[in-house]
Amino acid sequence: MNSLMGKYLKINLSSSVIADEKTPVEWVELYTGQKGLGSRILMENFDPATDPLSPENKVVITTSVMGGTIVSCSSKLAMTTKSPLSGTISDGSVGGHTGAELKYTGYDAVEIIGKAEKLSYLYITDKKVEIRDAAFLKGLGTFAVDAKLKEEIGDDELKVLAIGPAGENLVPYACISSEKYRQLGRGGIAAVMGSKNLKAIAIRGKLGVSVKDIEGLMKYSKEVTTRDEVTSDDNEIYDLGTSCLVDYSQESGLLPTRNFQEGRFEDAEKINGQSFKDVRKNKKGCFSCGIACGNYVVDGAASVEGPEYESIVLGGSSLGIGNREKVIEFNSICDDLGLDTISAGGTIAYMMEMTEKGLHDFGIKFGEIDAVIDMLTKIANRDGIGDEAALGSKALSGKYGGEDYAIQVKGLELPGYDPRGSWSMGIAYVTAPRGGCHMSAYPIAEEAWGELDPFSFEGKGKLVADMQNSQFCKFSMGVCDFWPINDETLGRLFELSYGGAWPADKIYKTGERIFNLQRMFNIMAGFDRKEDKLPGRFHKELLKAGPPKDIAYTKEAFDKAMDEYYSYRGWDELGRPTIEKLEELGIEKKFIEAYKKAL
Amino acid sequence: MPLKFDLSKCTGCKLCQLACSASHYDVFNPEKARLKMIHDYNDDGIKIASKSCIFCKKCEKVCPEGAISNNGKWMIVDPEKCIGCNTCVTNCPTKIIFLNEKKSTICDLCGGEPKCIEWCPKGVISLRQKKGAAV
């Protein structure tokens, strides 16, 4: 008896065939759950060259092996696919209660392939799985989809993963909403759902999750959450949520302002943590989470859970907008339309800068909040100029120029940290498997906000790689970023839930294996070192205020740091994992053989 | 002696329900908890509510088999006498009683030291003291 449910669901929307499969224990041993298991299921009988919007692409939903248990913040849900925005493997996760709900249906994972003949939704419970007609949901925003499905099914506790008009219209940075305000944001997985005519997934489970040693788990779980101050009211993430980072970034001179042209925003105090706390109505926690970082805020006519730091930056300072109510409105409208706030904001910021510089007139300038709100609706509906903006900043810059101002890596728009103010964030951005993302590693906590020199690359290749390896196992085991858990504690919780021996070195190695598996996918999809690059702006322009003032972030120094990163990882000079490294990690032979052919 | 809730502190994490099901059934399942917290968004914003035994003793009165009694602090179900007829479930004013393996299931305050109180990270739950009793 352990916390694995033992089966996963395979759904082919083209043939309407629904089947239960045994969850292969050997996959769990190698990749655990969530991110790792999702990547493994995606890669089974899958060509990495697959067109992301074709029926052959997969949407893989995975729970974590500790999901549904009492272990704090361990019940997130992940979705993995090949991204229509970046063309890379792309997984994202969402908190809230949906991951635990899926676990309680009895499934560890769901694999969806094919394309439904007409707009459909999936209904998954512990008793039945059905593909149902979704004509009545066509064109609706995600908030209305959530409400209508609860009404249709007659259960307020239903959990819904929904796409909005953006996903239906195949915007490559369309996101999925869960429980209204929780978003699985990045890489356009909602467009993949849209391409499959899949409007929503409604989930309700009433089974329980057993563990290997329930007494031991409860005792240890309580001990370590207390020790790590996870449940403390003094935890800044509880007090302010991620919006606390606005002050940190401003102080460090790396708060993206007007499309990363500057690192300090004159109106930062109007959109910082305290400002949002002033209009907070309630706290909101995810399933089994003692932290409760969520904030439900209401300001004037606008309300949202959040806004999270990245949305404040990409919908605020980076657009030149220092209006709290409007930032909340930006966030809420993106959630309802099903648009990633980071990519939507990043793309619009590029258009603003191009217009102001006179390079191309997109008809929108910094600070024009009403035009931004109008643009979001046009993007989701692919209406007029919105059809252009829907391409994303990389594709737009390919068409209209200004590549240096398209702030993205591999097509994925960057989050809210200017790498000129914390150098190793640049290494993290270019090596994150899904493109420009801050979740694979967060070295800023050690650099700009820690003890290490933020303006040096010394030892940073190793720093980023080590962080990525630990993070990839932590996320695959389902634990939220906001618990700074060490590998030893994570392994012990996993042992008590699932069983076996999971010492710290095995946790690290498991994460390294998963990271390399995703890198293999990308190499087989045609990527290598040439795509591991930052937008030109960061190497060519200097920031003019705060700690990074006038410090050059040169391409030469960056390339040298990348050499060190690849070498530490056991990859070749083109950033490709060596066969020896893959064999050492125990990656399955069939993948290594396929990889050899792609080299 | 029913449970008391300060809903302004609740974050909806359900740790209380997980601790409840684990302590009674050795499984993590919010559906098998003897209390329930509701913390969901609706059209009006956010709805926060609790459901738990209010110690009204109606179940004791309506039980046709005399299977339910109380000790002045919590309800007690005698599984030998319970026939799983559902009468207590349908008559419970808070709809918190349910059948588990065909036997009535009611909050027993974990014998006086409720696990839900122990596990709540935000101090939402406490025991309601009798009038006049020292707090």
Side-chain angles (χ1 to χ4, degrees):
Chain A
M1 193 163 63
N2 63 28
S3 57
L4 194 70
M5 303 310 274
K7 61 176 182 175
Y8 76 102
L9 188 58
K10 284 179 90 162
I11 298 171
N12 187 322
L13 293 170
S14 300
S15 61
S16 298
V17 171
I18 297 170
D20 283 3
E21 294 275 339
K22 199 164 174 278
T23 307
V25 172
E26 59 274 23
W27 294 4
V28 176
E29 293 287 334
L30 285 170
Y31 309 106
T32 76
Q34 271 216 30
K35 178 191 277 284
L37 183 63
S39 304
R40 179 60 186 81
I41 293 174
L42 174 72
M43 287 177 72
E44 182 72 6
N45 297 321
F46 189 82
D47 179 359
T50 299
D51 173 359
L53 296 179
S54 69
E56 288 72 33
N57 196 7
K58 293 183 189 177
V59 169
V60 182
I61 310 171
T62 37
T63 64
S64 73
V65 180
M66 296 193 290
T69 74
I70 207 160
V71 176
S72 196
C73 36
S74 69
S75 288
K76 292 184 86 175
L77 172 139
M79 291 176 79
T80 309
T81 193
K82 181 176 177 183
S83 164
L85 186 63
S86 62
T88 65
I89 191 170
S90 185
D91 67 274
S93 72
V94 66
H97 295 238
T98 309
E101 199 72 44
L102 180 59
K103 193 87 182 257
Y104 295 141
T105 65
Y107 293 107
D108 296 307
V110 182
E111 177 198 282
I112 303 162
I113 197 164
K115 179 181 181 177
E117 215 167 277
K118 55 187 181 183
L119 195 66
S120 305
Y121 78 92
L122 291 176
Y123 182 43
I124 302 173
T125 76
D126 48 284
K127 294 196 172 63
K128 62 182 174 187
V129 179
E130 292 174 350
I131 303 167
R132 293 181 166 187
D133 185 14
F136 69 112
L137 302 173
K138 188 170 173 51
L140 292 183
T142 63
F143 299 169
V145 173
D146 192 274
K148 277 201 178 290
L149 281 174
K150 282 176 176 165
E151 190 186 322
E152 168 87 3
I153 291 164
D155 188 343
D156 282 347
E157 295 197 51
L158 191 75
K159 305 297 181 297
V160 177
L161 296 164
I163 70 170
E168 283 186 65
N169 293 320
L170 311 183
V171 175
Y173 49 89
C175 78
I176 291 168
S177 292
S178 171
E179 297 171 88
K180 268 186 106 168
Y181 296 128
R182 292 264 164 189
Q183 274 61 42
L184 204 146
R186 312 232 63 199
I189 196 162
V192 179
M193 272 179 67
S195 75
K196 297 186 177 307
N197 263 333
L198 185 58
K199 179 70 177 171
I201 301 164
I203 303 164
R204 185 73 170 100
K206 297 185 179 181
L207 301 176
V209 174
S210 299
V211 294
K212 192 80 183 168
D213 174 359
I214 193 160
E215 272 185 36
L217 181 67
M218 291 185 77
K219 186 167 175 283
Y220 186 67
S221 185
K222 187 172 262 287
E223 181 188 316
V224 294
T225 46
T226 306
R227 181 197 71 194
D228 291 352
E229 299 184 340
V230 170
T231 56
S232 166
D233 285 358
D234 296 332
N235 187 335
E236 201 171 17
I237 287 292
Y238 170 72
D239 185 37
L240 297 177
T242 56
S243 61
C244 70
L245 301 176
V246 172
D247 286 347
Y248 287 18
S249 292
Q250 174 82 342
E251 177 70 26
S252 305
L254 54 82
L255 180 69
T257 301
R258 285 174 279 275
N259 198 33
F260 292 75
Q261 293 183 84
E262 300 152 77
R264 280 202 165 148
F265 184 45
E266 64 278 9
D267 285 332
E269 278 187 13
K270 294 180 183 169
I271 54 170
N272 69 2
Q274 186 56 50
S275 176
F276 287 105
K277 188 179 178 183
D278 290 344
V279 291
R280 180 165 84 204
K281 293 290 173 202
N282 288 99
K283 292 294 299 176
K284 186 111 172 105
C286 294
F287 188 89
S288 82
C289 177
I291 302 174
C293 67
N295 302 297
Y296 177 60
V297 298
V298 180
D299 189 8
S303 59
V304 82
E305 185 184 324
E308 303 301 338
Y309 171 74
E310 313 301 338
S311 302
I312 296 169
V313 174
L314 277 304
S317 57
S318 190
L319 300 179
I321 293 166
N323 178 320
R324 180 179 64 197
E325 183 181 348
K326 292 298 180 184
V327 170
I328 295 172
E329 189 180 353
F330 170 89
N331 193 165
S332 178
I333 287 176
C334 282
D335 291 354
D336 195 28
L337 293 169
L339 282 171
D340 173 18
T341 54
I342 302 178
S343 283
T347 301
I348 293 171
Y350 158 84
M351 295 163 79
M352 289 170 161
E353 185 171 356
M354 290 291 283
T355 303
E356 290 203 352
K357 281 195 156 70
L359 295 170
H360 183 82
D361 186 5
F362 288 104
I364 190 164
K365 291 181 177 173
F366 290 109
E368 293 179 349
I369 180 60
D370 292 336
V372 170
I373 300 296
D374 188 47
M375 183 68 77
L376 294 174
T377 308
K378 284 180 172 159
I379 293 171
N381 294 317
R382 303 199 80 136
D383 174 16
I385 185 78
D387 194 37
E388 295 261 49
L391 297 171
S393 63
K394 183 185 179 194
L396 269 184
S397 69
K399 199 168 168 183
Y400 296 107
E403 285 88 349
D404 289 350
Y405 316 129
I407 308 301
Q408 50 74 38
V409 170
K410 300 185 179 74
L412 191 70
E413 284 70 18
L414 292 193
Y417 317 90
D418 192 314
R420 287 169 291 186
S422 195
W423 284 16
S424 51
M425 283 306 285
I427 304 175
Y429 286 154
V430 302
T431 56
R434 67 179 182 179
C437 152
H438 60 292
M439 296 299 289
S440 81
Y442 201 65
I444 192 169
E446 305 286 331
E447 278 187 338
W449 305 336
E451 301 297 317
L452 299 179
D453 181 357
F455 310 114
S456 159
F457 279 123
E458 200 181 335
K460 300 298 176 60
K462 177 179 183 303
L463 174 78
V464 172
D466 283 344
M467 281 186 161
Q468 288 171 329
N469 292 345
S470 289
Q471 287 285 79
F472 266 51
C473 190
K474 176 178 166 181
F475 291 160
S476 296
M477 289 185 165
V479 174
C480 175
D481 204 20
F482 299 148
W483 182 359
I485 192 172
N486 63 44
D487 288 355
E488 187 188 346
T489 305
L490 181 63
R492 185 67 191 134
L493 288 167
F494 200 76
E495 289 170 359
L496 292 164
S497 304
Y498 172 72
W502 293 82
D505 60 338
K506 186 173 169 183
I507 295 290
Y508 178 91
K509 208 65 165 175
T510 301
E512 186 181 8
R513 183 183 303 121
I514 297 162
F515 194 89
N516 275 269
L517 185 75
Q518 291 205 345
R519 183 73 177 187
M520 284 171 77
F521 182 102
N522 287 346
I523 301 290
M524 290 191 280
F527 291 86
D528 63 21
R529 180 175 190 157
K530 65 185 179 303
E531 285 82 21
D532 293 352
K533 63 175 185 184
L534 290 168
R537 150 158 293 146
F538 298 128
H539 300 309
K540 296 175 186 172
E541 297 175 12
L542 298 172
L543 287 170
K544 288 293 176 189
K549 184 176 186 296
D550 291 331
I551 300 176
Y553 190 60
T554 68
K555 178 86 166 57
E556 292 69 30
F558 186 76
D559 285 346
K560 192 162 168 277
M562 290 302 295
D563 286 338
E564 285 174 19
Y565 174 89
Y566 295 137
S567 167
Y568 181 70
R569 277 224 168 272
W571 296 356
D572 68 15
E573 70 283 359
L574 289 177
R576 301 175 302 187
T578 59
I579 303 301
E580 295 74 37
K581 173 49 86 175
L582 298 176
E583 285 173 344
E584 175 208 314
L585 291 170
I587 299 264
E588 293 151 274
K589 281 197 178 71
K590 68 174 179 182
F591 292 141
I592 296 180
E593 289 309 313
Y595 177 71
K596 277 181 187 166
K597 285 180 196 161
L599 291 179
Chain B
M1 199 162 60
L3 296 170
K4 189 168 91 174
F5 299 88
D6 179 355
L7 294 178
S8 68
K9 292 181 181 170
C10 180
T11 66
C13 69
K14 298 200 184 269
L15 281 168
C16 53
Q17 289 178 239
L18 290 169
C20 182
S21 74
S23 64
H24 290 102
Y25 308 110
D26 284 344
V27 71
F28 295 111
N29 185 354
E31 292 289 321
K32 284 197 171 187
R34 300 173 181 190
L35 79 167
K36 191 168 192 174
M37 304 304 294
I38 296 140
H39 202 284
D40 292 320
Y41 291 111
N42 59 20
D43 289 343
D44 303 323
I46 199 164
K47 181 188 174 189
I48 305 172
S50 63
K51 271 197 209 182
S52 64
C53 174
I54 56 172
F55 204 53
C56 70
K57 303 170 201 158
K58 192 169 181 188
C59 48
E60 184 177 340
K61 291 186 192 93
V62 298
C63 178
E65 303 296 321
I68 305 175
S69 59
N70 77 86
N71 65 0
K73 293 175 184 168
W74 57 83
M75 306 308 298
I76 297 164
V77 179
D78 182 346
E80 298 296 319
K81 289 186 184 169
C82 177
I83 57 167
C85 67
N86 231 31
T87 307
C88 56
V89 174
T90 53
N91 281 280
C92 175
T94 56
K95 303 289 172 210
I96 195 64
I97 303 178
F98 63 97
L99 296 187
N100 181 57
E101 294 175 354
K102 296 182 182 168
K103 300 291 178 188
S104 175
T105 299
I106 309 174
C107 174
D108 59 2
L109 296 181
C110 299
E113 292 180 1
K115 290 287 175 192
C116 53
I117 295 178
E118 182 191 327
W119 275 84
C120 176
K122 299 298 170 197
V124 174
I125 315 171
S126 58
L127 282 174
R128 189 183 297 276
Q129 303 296 325
K130 281 182 183 171
K131 275 182 189 168
V135 176

